[in-house]
Amino acid sequence: ARFRRLTVRYERRADLHLALTTLACAVICLRQIKRFCP
């Protein structure tokens, strides 16, 4: 889950790109929370 689709912007619509970026940030934050709060 290295979010390869976000490294190169395949989506032409800005709102879809923003949604995927927001989702990736949420997943990263959730992983960090799980790591520090078992």
Side-chain angles (χ1 to χ4, degrees):
R2 296 180 187 243
F3 308 107
R4 290 186 184 131
R5 290 186 61 87
L6 296 177
T7 56
V8 177
R9 186 174 169 190
Y10 292 109
E11 287 78 19
R12 296 185 186 272
R13 292 175 38 191
D15 58 340
L16 290 178
H17 183 71
L18 179 63
L20 287 176
T21 304
T22 305
L23 180 63
C25 289
V27 170
I28 291 169
C29 289
L30 183 63
R31 286 181 186 162
Q32 292 296 319
I33 290 171
K34 282 186 175 181
R35 194 166 84 182
F36 289 112
C37 300

Short mmCIF file of all heavy atoms in Angstrom, two decimals:
data_model
loop_
_atom_site.label_atom_id
_atom_site.label_comp_id
_atom_site.label_asym_id
_atom_site.label_seq_id
_atom_site.Cartn_x
_atom_site.Cartn_y
_atom_site.Cartn_z
N ALA A 1 0.85 -1.20 0.00
CA ALA A 1 0.00 0.00 0.00
C ALA A 1 0.88 1.24 0.00
O ALA A 1 0.87 2.02 0.93
CB ALA A 1 -0.93 -0.02 1.20
N ARG A 2 1.62 1.40 -1.04
CA ARG A 2 2.48 2.57 -1.13
C ARG A 2 1.83 3.71 -1.89
O ARG A 2 2.48 4.68 -2.24
CB ARG A 2 3.81 2.20 -1.78
CG ARG A 2 4.59 1.22 -0.95
CD ARG A 2 5.88 0.89 -1.62
NE ARG A 2 6.55 -0.17 -0.89
CZ ARG A 2 7.70 0.00 -0.31
NH1 ARG A 2 8.33 1.13 -0.38
NH2 ARG A 2 8.25 -1.00 0.34
N PHE A 3 0.55 3.57 -2.16
CA PHE A 3 -0.23 4.62 -2.81
C PHE A 3 0.40 5.03 -4.14
O PHE A 3 0.67 6.19 -4.40
CB PHE A 3 -0.39 5.82 -1.88
CG PHE A 3 -0.91 5.44 -0.54
CD1 PHE A 3 -0.09 5.44 0.58
CD2 PHE A 3 -2.22 5.04 -0.39
CE1 PHE A 3 -0.57 5.07 1.81
CE2 PHE A 3 -2.71 4.67 0.84
CZ PHE A 3 -1.89 4.68 1.94
N ARG A 4 0.63 4.04 -4.97
CA ARG A 4 1.29 4.28 -6.26
C ARG A 4 0.48 5.20 -7.16
O ARG A 4 1.04 5.92 -7.97
CB ARG A 4 1.54 2.95 -6.96
CG ARG A 4 2.60 2.14 -6.28
CD ARG A 4 2.93 0.90 -7.07
NE ARG A 4 3.89 0.13 -6.32
CZ ARG A 4 3.78 -1.14 -6.07
NH1 ARG A 4 2.77 -1.82 -6.56
NH2 ARG A 4 4.69 -1.77 -5.37
N ARG A 5 -0.83 5.15 -7.04
CA ARG A 5 -1.65 6.00 -7.90
C ARG A 5 -1.46 7.48 -7.58
O ARG A 5 -1.75 8.34 -8.39
CB ARG A 5 -3.12 5.65 -7.76
CG ARG A 5 -3.47 4.31 -8.36
CD ARG A 5 -4.95 4.07 -8.34
NE ARG A 5 -5.69 5.04 -9.11
CZ ARG A 5 -5.94 4.96 -10.41
NH1 ARG A 5 -5.49 3.94 -11.09
NH2 ARG A 5 -6.62 5.89 -11.02
N LEU A 6 -0.94 7.78 -6.40
CA LEU A 6 -0.76 9.18 -6.04
C LEU A 6 0.60 9.71 -6.46
O LEU A 6 0.81 10.92 -6.48
CB LEU A 6 -0.94 9.36 -4.53
CG LEU A 6 -2.35 9.04 -4.04
CD1 LEU A 6 -2.39 9.16 -2.53
CD2 LEU A 6 -3.37 9.93 -4.66
N THR A 7 1.54 8.83 -6.79
CA THR A 7 2.85 9.32 -7.21
C THR A 7 2.76 9.96 -8.60
O THR A 7 3.40 10.98 -8.84
CB THR A 7 3.89 8.19 -7.24
OG1 THR A 7 3.44 7.14 -8.07
CG2 THR A 7 4.13 7.66 -5.85
N VAL A 8 1.97 9.38 -9.46
CA VAL A 8 1.69 9.97 -10.76
C VAL A 8 0.20 10.24 -10.80
O VAL A 8 -0.59 9.36 -10.50
CB VAL A 8 2.07 9.02 -11.92
CG1 VAL A 8 1.70 9.62 -13.26
CG2 VAL A 8 3.54 8.70 -11.87
N ARG A 9 -0.16 11.43 -11.12
CA ARG A 9 -1.57 11.81 -11.06
C ARG A 9 -2.30 11.29 -12.30
O ARG A 9 -2.24 11.88 -13.37
CB ARG A 9 -1.69 13.33 -10.96
CG ARG A 9 -3.09 13.77 -10.75
CD ARG A 9 -3.14 15.25 -10.52
NE ARG A 9 -4.54 15.68 -10.57
CZ ARG A 9 -4.92 16.91 -10.59
NH1 ARG A 9 -4.02 17.87 -10.57
NH2 ARG A 9 -6.19 17.21 -10.64
N TYR A 10 -3.02 10.16 -12.12
CA TYR A 10 -3.77 9.57 -13.22
C TYR A 10 -5.15 10.19 -13.37
O TYR A 10 -5.70 10.22 -14.45
CB TYR A 10 -3.93 8.06 -13.01
CG TYR A 10 -2.63 7.30 -13.11
CD1 TYR A 10 -2.04 6.75 -12.00
CD2 TYR A 10 -2.01 7.13 -14.34
CE1 TYR A 10 -0.86 6.05 -12.09
CE2 TYR A 10 -0.83 6.43 -14.44
CZ TYR A 10 -0.26 5.90 -13.32
OH TYR A 10 0.92 5.21 -13.40
N GLU A 11 -5.70 10.66 -12.27
CA GLU A 11 -7.04 11.22 -12.32
C GLU A 11 -6.99 12.61 -12.95
O GLU A 11 -6.18 13.44 -12.58
CB GLU A 11 -7.65 11.32 -10.92
CG GLU A 11 -8.05 9.99 -10.33
CD GLU A 11 -6.87 9.22 -9.81
OE1 GLU A 11 -5.82 9.84 -9.57
OE2 GLU A 11 -6.98 8.00 -9.68
N ARG A 12 -7.86 12.85 -13.87
CA ARG A 12 -7.91 14.16 -14.51
C ARG A 12 -8.69 15.15 -13.66
O ARG A 12 -8.44 16.35 -13.72
CB ARG A 12 -8.54 14.07 -15.89
CG ARG A 12 -7.72 13.22 -16.84
CD ARG A 12 -8.32 13.24 -18.23
NE ARG A 12 -7.61 12.33 -19.10
CZ ARG A 12 -6.53 12.67 -19.80
NH1 ARG A 12 -6.06 13.88 -19.72
NH2 ARG A 12 -5.94 11.79 -20.57
N ARG A 13 -9.62 14.63 -12.88
CA ARG A 13 -10.44 15.52 -12.07
C ARG A 13 -9.74 15.80 -10.74
O ARG A 13 -9.26 14.91 -10.07
CB ARG A 13 -11.80 14.88 -11.80
CG ARG A 13 -12.63 14.77 -13.06
CD ARG A 13 -13.92 14.05 -12.87
NE ARG A 13 -14.57 14.35 -11.61
CZ ARG A 13 -15.61 13.66 -11.17
NH1 ARG A 13 -16.09 12.66 -11.86
NH2 ARG A 13 -16.15 13.96 -10.01
N ALA A 14 -9.71 17.05 -10.37
CA ALA A 14 -9.02 17.47 -9.15
C ALA A 14 -9.73 16.95 -7.91
O ALA A 14 -9.07 16.62 -6.91
CB ALA A 14 -8.93 18.99 -9.10
N ASP A 15 -11.06 16.82 -7.95
CA ASP A 15 -11.77 16.36 -6.75
C ASP A 15 -11.47 14.89 -6.45
O ASP A 15 -11.35 14.51 -5.29
CB ASP A 15 -13.27 16.60 -6.87
CG ASP A 15 -13.89 15.92 -8.08
OD1 ASP A 15 -13.15 15.57 -9.02
OD2 ASP A 15 -15.12 15.74 -8.08
N LEU A 16 -11.29 14.07 -7.49
CA LEU A 16 -10.92 12.68 -7.25
C LEU A 16 -9.51 12.56 -6.71
O LEU A 16 -9.23 11.75 -5.83
CB LEU A 16 -11.04 11.87 -8.54
CG LEU A 16 -12.46 11.62 -9.05
CD1 LEU A 16 -12.41 10.85 -10.36
CD2 LEU A 16 -13.27 10.87 -8.03
N HIS A 17 -8.61 13.38 -7.22
CA HIS A 17 -7.24 13.37 -6.73
C HIS A 17 -7.20 13.80 -5.27
O HIS A 17 -6.50 13.18 -4.45
CB HIS A 17 -6.37 14.29 -7.58
CG HIS A 17 -4.94 14.28 -7.18
ND1 HIS A 17 -4.12 13.20 -7.40
CD2 HIS A 17 -4.19 15.21 -6.55
CE1 HIS A 17 -2.92 13.47 -6.93
NE2 HIS A 17 -2.93 14.67 -6.41
N LEU A 18 -7.96 14.81 -4.92
CA LEU A 18 -8.03 15.26 -3.54
C LEU A 18 -8.62 14.19 -2.64
O LEU A 18 -8.14 13.97 -1.52
CB LEU A 18 -8.85 16.55 -3.44
CG LEU A 18 -9.03 17.12 -2.05
CD1 LEU A 18 -7.68 17.52 -1.47
CD2 LEU A 18 -9.97 18.30 -2.08
N ALA A 19 -9.63 13.48 -3.12
CA ALA A 19 -10.25 12.43 -2.32
C ALA A 19 -9.27 11.29 -2.07
O ALA A 19 -9.18 10.78 -0.94
CB ALA A 19 -11.50 11.91 -3.03
N LEU A 20 -8.53 10.88 -3.08
CA LEU A 20 -7.55 9.80 -2.90
C LEU A 20 -6.40 10.24 -1.99
O LEU A 20 -5.91 9.44 -1.19
CB LEU A 20 -7.01 9.34 -4.25
CG LEU A 20 -7.98 8.53 -5.10
CD1 LEU A 20 -7.36 8.23 -6.46
CD2 LEU A 20 -8.37 7.25 -4.41
N THR A 21 -5.98 11.48 -2.11
CA THR A 21 -4.93 11.99 -1.24
C THR A 21 -5.40 12.03 0.21
O THR A 21 -4.66 11.64 1.12
CB THR A 21 -4.50 13.40 -1.69
OG1 THR A 21 -4.12 13.35 -3.06
CG2 THR A 21 -3.34 13.92 -0.87
N THR A 22 -6.63 12.47 0.43
CA THR A 22 -7.19 12.50 1.78
C THR A 22 -7.32 11.10 2.35
O THR A 22 -7.01 10.87 3.53
CB THR A 22 -8.56 13.20 1.76
OG1 THR A 22 -8.42 14.49 1.16
CG2 THR A 22 -9.12 13.36 3.15
N LEU A 23 -7.74 10.16 1.54
CA LEU A 23 -7.87 8.78 1.98
C LEU A 23 -6.50 8.20 2.35
O LEU A 23 -6.36 7.52 3.38
CB LEU A 23 -8.52 7.93 0.89
CG LEU A 23 -8.71 6.46 1.20
CD1 LEU A 23 -9.66 6.28 2.37
CD2 LEU A 23 -9.23 5.74 -0.02
N ALA A 24 -5.49 8.48 1.54
CA ALA A 24 -4.14 7.99 1.84
C ALA A 24 -3.63 8.59 3.15
O ALA A 24 -3.03 7.88 3.96
CB ALA A 24 -3.19 8.34 0.69
N CYS A 25 -3.88 9.86 3.39
CA CYS A 25 -3.46 10.49 4.64
C CYS A 25 -4.17 9.87 5.83
O CYS A 25 -3.56 9.66 6.88
CB CYS A 25 -3.74 11.99 4.60
SG CYS A 25 -2.66 12.89 3.48
N ALA A 26 -5.44 9.56 5.68
CA ALA A 26 -6.20 8.93 6.77
C ALA A 26 -5.65 7.55 7.08
O ALA A 26 -5.52 7.18 8.25
CB ALA A 26 -7.67 8.85 6.39
N VAL A 27 -5.31 6.78 6.06
CA VAL A 27 -4.76 5.44 6.27
C VAL A 27 -3.40 5.53 6.97
O VAL A 27 -3.12 4.77 7.90
CB VAL A 27 -4.65 4.68 4.93
CG1 VAL A 27 -3.86 3.40 5.09
CG2 VAL A 27 -6.03 4.40 4.39
N ILE A 28 -2.57 6.47 6.56
CA ILE A 28 -1.27 6.64 7.18
C ILE A 28 -1.43 7.03 8.65
O ILE A 28 -0.76 6.48 9.53
CB ILE A 28 -0.43 7.69 6.41
CG1 ILE A 28 -0.04 7.13 5.04
CG2 ILE A 28 0.80 8.10 7.20
CD1 ILE A 28 0.54 8.15 4.10
N CYS A 29 -2.33 7.95 8.93
CA CYS A 29 -2.56 8.37 10.32
C CYS A 29 -3.09 7.21 11.16
O CYS A 29 -2.69 7.04 12.31
CB CYS A 29 -3.53 9.54 10.37
SG CYS A 29 -2.81 11.07 9.77
N LEU A 30 -3.99 6.42 10.60
CA LEU A 30 -4.55 5.28 11.33
C LEU A 30 -3.46 4.27 11.66
O LEU A 30 -3.43 3.73 12.77
CB LEU A 30 -5.66 4.63 10.51
CG LEU A 30 -6.38 3.46 11.16
CD1 LEU A 30 -7.11 3.93 12.41
CD2 LEU A 30 -7.35 2.84 10.18
N ARG A 31 -2.56 4.03 10.74
CA ARG A 31 -1.45 3.11 11.00
C ARG A 31 -0.56 3.62 12.12
O ARG A 31 -0.09 2.85 12.96
CB ARG A 31 -0.62 2.92 9.75
CG ARG A 31 -1.29 2.06 8.72
CD ARG A 31 -0.39 1.90 7.53
NE ARG A 31 -1.06 1.20 6.45
CZ ARG A 31 -0.65 1.21 5.21
NH1 ARG A 31 0.44 1.88 4.87
NH2 ARG A 31 -1.30 0.55 4.29
N GLN A 32 -0.31 4.92 12.13
CA GLN A 32 0.53 5.50 13.19
C GLN A 32 -0.16 5.39 14.55
O GLN A 32 0.49 5.08 15.55
CB GLN A 32 0.85 6.97 12.88
CG GLN A 32 1.76 7.15 11.69
CD GLN A 32 3.12 6.55 11.91
OE1 GLN A 32 3.70 6.67 12.98
NE2 GLN A 32 3.64 5.88 10.89
N ILE A 33 -1.44 5.63 14.59
CA ILE A 33 -2.19 5.53 15.84
C ILE A 33 -2.18 4.10 16.36
O ILE A 33 -1.96 3.86 17.54
CB ILE A 33 -3.63 6.04 15.65
CG1 ILE A 33 -3.63 7.54 15.44
CG2 ILE A 33 -4.50 5.67 16.85
CD1 ILE A 33 -4.96 8.11 15.03
N LYS A 34 -2.37 3.13 15.46
CA LYS A 34 -2.35 1.73 15.86
C LYS A 34 -0.98 1.32 16.38
O LYS A 34 -0.87 0.49 17.27
CB LYS A 34 -2.74 0.83 14.69
CG LYS A 34 -4.22 0.78 14.44
CD LYS A 34 -4.51 -0.24 13.36
CE LYS A 34 -5.99 -0.41 13.16
NZ LYS A 34 -6.27 -1.42 12.14
N ARG A 35 0.06 1.89 15.82
CA ARG A 35 1.41 1.53 16.23
C ARG A 35 1.73 2.04 17.64
O ARG A 35 2.39 1.38 18.42
CB ARG A 35 2.41 2.09 15.24
CG ARG A 35 3.79 1.49 15.40
CD ARG A 35 4.67 1.79 14.24
NE ARG A 35 5.27 3.11 14.42
CZ ARG A 35 6.07 3.69 13.56
NH1 ARG A 35 6.32 3.10 12.43
NH2 ARG A 35 6.58 4.85 13.80
N PHE A 36 1.26 3.23 17.99
CA PHE A 36 1.58 3.82 19.27
C PHE A 36 0.55 3.53 20.35
O PHE A 36 0.82 3.68 21.53
CB PHE A 36 1.77 5.32 19.14
CG PHE A 36 3.03 5.68 18.41
CD1 PHE A 36 2.97 6.26 17.16
CD2 PHE A 36 4.27 5.42 18.97
CE1 PHE A 36 4.13 6.58 16.48
CE2 PHE A 36 5.43 5.74 18.31
CZ PHE A 36 5.37 6.33 17.05
N CYS A 37 -0.64 3.13 19.98
CA CYS A 37 -1.68 2.81 20.96
C CYS A 37 -2.18 1.39 20.72
O CYS A 37 -3.19 1.17 20.04
CB CYS A 37 -2.85 3.78 20.83
SG CYS A 37 -2.39 5.48 21.10
N PRO A 38 -1.50 0.42 21.28
CA PRO A 38 -1.87 -0.98 21.00
C PRO A 38 -3.18 -1.39 21.60
O PRO A 38 -3.85 -1.14 22.36
CB PRO A 38 -0.74 -1.79 21.59
CG PRO A 38 0.00 -0.90 22.50
CD PRO A 38 -0.34 0.49 22.12
#
